[in-house]
Amino acid sequence: LQYIYTMGKKSLPNNRGYRNTSEFLFTSVNLSTYYFRTPFLLSGTTYVDLMPHDLARAALQGLLNRTGVPKDAVDYIIYGTVIQEVKTSNVAREAAMGAGFSDKIPAHTVTMACISSNQAMTSAVGLIAAGQCDAVVAGGVEFMSDVPIRHSRKMRKTMLSLNKAKTLGQKLSLIGSIRMAHLSPELPAVAEFSTAETMGHSADRLAAAFGVSRVEQDEFAVRSHSLAKKAQESGLLEDVISFKVPGRDIVSKDNGIRPSSMEQMAKLKPAFIKPHGTVTAANSSFLTDGASAVLIMSEEKALAMGYKPKAYLRDFVYVSQDPKDQLLLGPTYSTPKVLERAGLSMSDIDVFEFHEAFAGQIMANLKAMDSDWFAQTYMGRKSKVGTPSMDKFNLWGGSLSLGHPFGATGCRLVTTVAHRLKKEGGQYGLVAACAAGGQGHAMVIEAYPQ
């Protein structure tokens, strides 16, 4: 990535119409050539016996093998993850050392729900823009096949007290206080801490609020899987590396892509709001294991090392809103903001890649983006931003079909834009995503002149 850091009111060194600003501005290089990911697999399948750092390490090794970048040319490593393995809380550091990077290279892990790897990439942007680094590896990993399951609070307190007990009598007394109810485990849930509502339940309410029907959601899910299957069979998903799983076969493609018919989709029952909800297992993203890695450089560094840039990161924003009733509306809020910062409009965008948490979430965002009333009432805007053309939208599938490893999806979105811009001959691409906590993110990406 090439970043141009401007502190005074100076014009950007191009003629693309970007505004003058006192904020820092940046551009970026090719994310497709320098980005790799493991196959995204349904949790509980081939990766089941691994640990998160195993997947992250595989992604890093794939990046090293395909790019040939010297390990000592990397200045910093940042990874995103959501549900952390307690043994490797800084998974970036453990994966980096496991992949053979020098122990002299600092690494840290970030978490921001489903936009964790977006945060990893933009954190890398900051390091390069500030002149701290020339080359940073950013990525993300999620491993849902083995999540931390805790003892109950009372059982944890008893066990900690046992560890401190000094006499046999104290230990026997504590053991005698244990009841069957204390043995009930605490399972992790994809639920909001502030509202205690699961994301699927919130997605169902959001779909109802915007009048998104079950048929609309099923149709979008069928579209996602069909387009992903076509992209996979056409060899468009070239960022996927083959991974030899210890004790198992070589994995070389995503295994959650399953095209279906509307008749089959209609047979599924509501998964969250029963019996009248519209969100089902088939029109929701599934629990996924996977990891990604992307090499981010200043343009000067990339060219000096013989790498040809293919895309610029023009701008990005993060947004937050009400986590109860607007939990999944991040794209609606972030899209107009990032377009304004970049001096662009919806009609300028050639490629759209939105995170598909739920089909209902996507359709609700599209309806909100096309509503003057919503823009004026909730966003303080004079008019709607408008909706993307479906001829430009998620044409290689999305999280519903390719899978959604929480911490790794952001890198996939950005890289898909870079790939598609090159393949389709477009100039500008836009990434947008929602995240737990009522947060959101958007990026504008521009193709590097060929």
Side-chain angles (χ1 to χ4, degrees):
L1 300 166
Q2 181 217 348
Y3 301 92
I4 300 165
Y5 189 71
T6 307
M7 289 304 295
K9 291 205 170 188
K10 302 175 183 178
S11 298
L12 278 172
N14 59 45
N15 297 316
R16 304 181 197 280
Y18 285 97
R19 78 251 187 276
N20 295 338
T21 181
S22 58
E23 301 169 298
F24 73 85
L25 300 160
F26 38 81
T27 57
S28 65
V29 290
N30 178 353
L31 296 175
S32 57
T33 296
Y34 311 146
Y35 165 88
F36 304 97
R37 66 177 176 90
T38 67
F40 288 174
L41 302 188
L42 289 153
S43 63
T45 56
T46 308
Y47 295 151
V48 68
D49 295 322
L50 301 179
M51 290 180 66
H53 77 284
D54 293 319
L55 293 179
R57 180 180 62 211
L60 289 170
Q61 288 174 331
L63 183 147
L64 288 171
N65 293 337
R66 287 206 189 179
T67 64
V69 63
K71 297 173 185 176
D72 59 1
V74 175
D75 301 312
Y76 208 100
I77 296 170
I78 310 172
Y79 254 70
T81 196
V82 179
I83 300 180
Q84 296 187 351
E85 163 61 52
V86 294
K87 292 181 179 179
T88 57
S89 57
N90 187 0
V91 70
R93 176 66 169 168
E94 304 304 331
M97 291 193 296
F101 283 95
S102 168
D103 59 9
K104 306 300 182 185
I105 299 174
H108 78 268
T109 301
V110 297
T111 186
M112 200 174 181
C114 301
I115 52 178
S116 292
S117 61
N118 303 80
Q119 184 57 249
M121 287 184 287
T122 56
S123 295
V125 167
L127 287 172
I128 296 174
Q132 292 287 319
C133 302
D134 289 319
V136 180
V137 172
V141 62
E142 208 66 43
F143 190 68
M144 300 302 294
S145 288
D146 182 26
V147 296
I149 299 174
R150 305 198 303 178
H151 284 290
S152 67
R153 184 68 178 266
K154 290 183 177 179
M155 189 64 182
R156 298 200 306 272
K157 289 176 66 177
T158 301
M159 293 172 71
L160 289 170
S161 297
L162 270 170
N163 192 48
K164 297 177 182 178
K166 296 180 179 180
T167 68
L168 178 60
Q170 289 174 334
K171 292 179 180 179
L172 290 176
S173 176
L174 286 166
I175 292 172
S177 70
I178 297 174
R179 300 290 181 265
M180 287 298 295
H182 296 180
L183 302 177
S184 298
E186 290 182 2
L187 301 175
V190 185
E192 288 298 302
F193 182 81
S194 60
T195 66
E197 184 179 35
T198 65
M199 191 171 283
H201 194 283
S202 181
D204 218 325
R205 288 197 302 108
L206 186 69
F210 281 91
V212 180
S213 69
R214 167 72 182 271
V215 171
E216 286 179 290
Q217 294 175 61
D218 287 351
E219 286 177 343
F220 185 85
V222 168
R223 174 188 187 271
S224 180
H225 281 270
S226 299
L227 290 173
K229 185 68 173 177
K230 181 179 178 181
Q232 188 179 66
E233 293 178 342
S234 301
L236 298 176
L237 308 180
E238 59 190 73
D239 53 315
V240 180
I241 60 171
S242 294
F243 176 34
K244 175 64 174 72
V245 180
R248 293 175 178 261
D249 296 332
I250 295 176
V251 181
S252 58
K253 63 181 182 179
D254 308 321
N255 72 354
I257 303 173
R258 299 178 179 180
S260 185
S261 66
M262 288 296 290
E263 291 73 24
Q264 291 172 310
M265 298 285 284
K267 294 178 182 179
L268 274 74
K269 296 181 179 180
F272 301 99
I273 298 181
K274 303 173 183 180
H276 304 299
T278 57
V279 174
T280 70
N283 59 38
S284 308
S285 57
F286 48 87
L287 297 180
T288 314
D289 301 333
S292 57
V294 55
L295 177 60
I296 304 174
M297 291 182 172
S298 64
E299 183 178 40
E300 180 182 3
K301 180 77 169 180
L303 294 175
M305 295 184 65
Y307 296 115
K308 183 178 180 181
K310 290 187 181 177
Y312 293 110
L313 170 56
R314 281 300 179 195
D315 224 322
F316 65 84
V317 297
Y318 289 94
V319 297
S320 291
Q321 54 278 339
D322 173 21
K324 181 172 178 60
D325 294 323
Q326 298 186 11
L327 177 69
L328 302 172
L329 287 178
T332 299
Y333 282 87
S334 61
T335 295
K337 285 189 175 183
V338 80
L339 288 174
E340 286 178 356
R341 286 180 59 88
L344 301 172
S345 65
M346 290 290 279
S347 61
D348 294 315
I349 305 301
D350 303 299
V351 168
F352 291 92
E353 286 292 331
F354 280 28
H355 165 47
E356 302 170 352
F358 303 88
Q361 159 257 329
I362 286 288
M363 301 307 295
N365 272 278
L366 295 181
K367 292 192 177 190
M369 292 168 70
D370 199 36
S371 169
D372 283 321
W373 176 83
F374 188 87
Q376 294 162 3
T377 305
Y378 290 99
M379 300 174 65
R381 303 181 63 84
K382 294 181 179 179
S383 61
K384 63 187 180 184
V385 67
T387 56
S389 166
M390 296 309 287
D391 292 334
K392 304 177 180 179
F393 190 86
N394 291 17
L395 295 188
W396 294 359
S399 299
L400 290 175
S401 48
L402 298 170
H404 174 37
F406 303 144
T409 289
C411 287
R412 179 192 65 76
L413 292 170
V414 172
T415 305
T416 301
V417 167
H419 276 291
R420 285 186 53 200
L421 286 173
K422 181 182 177 183
K423 182 75 174 179
E424 299 168 19
Q427 184 176 7
Y428 297 110
L430 190 146
V431 164
C434 58
Q439 303 191 101
H441 170 71
M443 286 184 180
V444 169
I445 298 161
E446 184 180 2
Y448 191 83
Q450 298 300 311

